Amino acid sequence: MFQKSFLSLLARRSIIISLFVIGLTVSCKPSTPTPTSTPTITTQPSVESPDDPTKTPTKRPTATPTLPPIGNPGNPITIGFMLTPEQTNAIEAAEDLAFLIEEDTGFSIEYLIYPDFQSLSSAVIDGDVDLYWLAPLEYLYLNEQGAAQAVLMTNHLGVYAYGVQFMANSMRGFTPYYDPEKSLSLGDSITSLQQFSGTRPCFISPDSIPGYLVPSGFLSNASTPTLDPVFTYSYTAMVRALFIQGICDFGVSYALIGDPRNASDIIQTIPDVQSQVIVIWQSEGVIPNINLSASPELPLNIRYQLQEAFLDLPNTPEGLTLVSTALNYDVEAFKTVEDGFYDPLRSALIPLNLDLNTVTQP
């Protein structure tokens, strides 16, 4: 598969005009497709005399054009990307990626560019896009609308879903339920987190999934009320706040994809941070990475063929590089997933009663 050389990609780009959709949702389905069969007559010719004043003239017969089957020229399968016009390298990669999938499957593939999630989601709900890349909350929102089904999950920094970790200064006296040598939590979340009852957290920002939303859900599920949080707006600032004390009692950050205590500026200025700021408890991977979703209207047999084509991309020299460039997100592999992959995230967010339409909009 993917036998076309990169020169083929460049040759194709010279004859394809990238489509930018700025602010408005635009469908790439042809508005006046060429019928592939004899048009269906929707009205019958009038047999009345046009000179008869007692009769209302019947309209002329009109033809209802029939779209070709999806995946054929004139009715391509569309893949949506959220990119701005300035991201030319990413847009070119999206074009090349569409060409590779077209070469592998034999389907006619077209890529669509949307500047933000609002315009993409409108197009998805209107049925104008067949495949699209979604972040976790974006997927939950469109899935609730009945407009998205998970197909593939990306591997980012070695995992398909990442977690959160609760940290505190070792002098605060919290009992750690985490083994740093094994990178493993030793206790359940309720016992571990109830220690924080009545204390003040350092969170990152109100819209941060690992730095606020998921930890808040964990605390609510553990029946652990806390004081009003301090928002630090960066993970390194949170680590510094815990180190100097007096600002907050505990903090939260991402886990499994790195550790903010290992940031170069932290290591240089706080060399003993690992012993002073410790992990109290760490979750498993509950926050999925970016996924590839499909419209529920896309036929299953076509979806499976497209899924296999994407799974073949790591076997090509340029496949994953194109995906990473098109998404502005390092992708190391793919795996197939179903909607249940998102249940741990849903469980963590349930206590928050989030309005997903609000949190996914700018």
Side-chain angles (χ1 to χ4, degrees):
M1 297 186 180
F2 301 122
Q3 297 302 311
K4 297 291 185 181
S5 67
F6 192 69
L7 290 176
S8 301
L9 302 181
L10 295 176
R12 177 179 175 86
R13 184 178 303 130
S14 67
I15 61 171
I16 296 179
I17 299 177
S18 300
L19 175 62
F20 294 93
V21 180
I22 303 178
L24 299 175
T25 303
V26 178
S27 169
C28 279
K29 307 296 185 185
S31 58
T32 56
T34 302
T36 57
S37 59
T38 303
T40 301
I41 303 301
T42 57
T43 61
Q44 298 297 322
S46 171
V47 297
E48 304 296 341
S49 169
D51 297 326
D52 187 346
T54 65
K55 302 295 183 180
T56 302
T58 304
K59 294 181 178 179
R60 287 181 175 275
T62 58
T64 302
T66 302
L67 280 174
I70 188 168
N72 284 264
N75 189 15
I77 294 166
T78 52
I79 307 176
F81 297 83
M82 278 186 287
L83 297 168
T84 61
E86 294 77 18
Q87 296 174 294
T88 55
N89 289 339
I91 292 171
E92 290 176 358
E95 177 185 349
D96 294 342
L97 182 60
F99 178 61
L100 288 181
I101 299 301
E102 182 174 88
E103 288 290 288
D104 187 10
T105 62
F107 294 128
S108 178
I109 306 290
E110 190 165 6
Y111 69 99
L112 304 177
I113 304 301
Y114 297 89
D116 50 42
F117 179 68
Q118 185 175 11
S119 57
L120 172 63
S121 63
S122 296
V124 168
I125 292 172
D126 289 343
D128 296 330
V129 195
D130 301 308
L131 295 171
Y132 22 90
W133 305 90
L134 300 174
L137 297 184
E138 296 165 353
Y139 172 76
L140 292 183
Y141 169 69
L142 286 175
N143 180 258
E144 280 188 359
Q145 305 303 308
Q149 294 180 345
V151 175
L152 293 174
M153 184 60 59
T154 58
N155 183 300
H156 178 64
L157 300 178
V159 298
Y160 291 95
Y162 60 101
V164 300
Q165 61 184 9
F166 289 74
M167 297 183 290
N169 192 294
S170 60
M171 301 297 292
R172 287 287 289 110
F174 295 117
T175 300
Y177 288 85
Y178 177 77
D179 186 339
E181 294 184 359
K182 297 180 179 179
S183 299
L184 181 67
S185 288
L186 306 175
D188 64 89
S189 61
I190 294 178
T191 302
S192 306
L193 300 183
Q194 283 184 343
Q195 300 180 88
F196 299 131
S197 180
T199 64
R200 191 178 307 281
C202 265
F203 289 140
I204 303 306
S205 65
D207 59 352
S208 171
I209 300 177
Y212 176 66
L213 297 176
V214 166
S216 296
F218 277 137
L219 291 167
S220 294
N221 282 329
S223 300
T224 304
T226 61
L227 301 177
D228 290 340
V230 173
F231 291 108
T232 64
Y233 293 94
S234 81
Y235 290 103
T236 55
M238 181 269 296
V239 172
R240 293 181 186 281
L242 295 179
F243 179 78
I244 64 177
Q245 301 190 71
I247 297 175
C248 50
D249 300 297
F250 71 95
V252 292
S253 79
Y254 53 83
L256 306 181
I257 55 173
D259 189 326
R261 296 176 299 171
N262 294 329
S264 59
D265 62 321
I266 293 293
I267 293 175
Q268 291 172 5
T269 57
I270 315 176
D272 58 343
V273 66
Q274 295 286 341
S275 61
Q276 294 297 313
V277 178
I278 61 174
V279 176
I280 304 300
W281 182 80
Q282 178 178 286
S283 78
E284 297 180 346
V286 297
I287 306 172
N289 297 331
I290 291 176
N291 82 6
L292 180 66
S293 290
S295 165
E297 302 302 318
L298 189 65
L300 280 177
N301 64 315
I302 294 178
R303 186 191 310 174
Y304 291 147
Q305 292 179 68
L306 292 166
Q307 177 179 284
E308 289 303 313
F310 277 96
L311 289 171
D312 284 339
L313 287 174
N315 301 323
T316 68
E318 70 273 27
L320 288 179
T321 299
L322 288 176
V323 175
S324 298
T325 303
L327 298 182
N328 289 307
Y329 184 78
D330 183 47
V331 177
E332 299 176 7
F334 291 111
K335 78 171 183 178
T336 58
V337 293
E338 296 182 351
D339 181 71
F341 193 75
Y342 285 80
D343 287 346
L345 178 60
R346 289 189 177 100
S347 177
L349 297 179
I350 282 175
L352 306 182
N353 296 314
L354 289 179
D355 181 351
L356 290 172
N357 182 46
T358 299
V359 299
T360 55
Q361 302 302 327

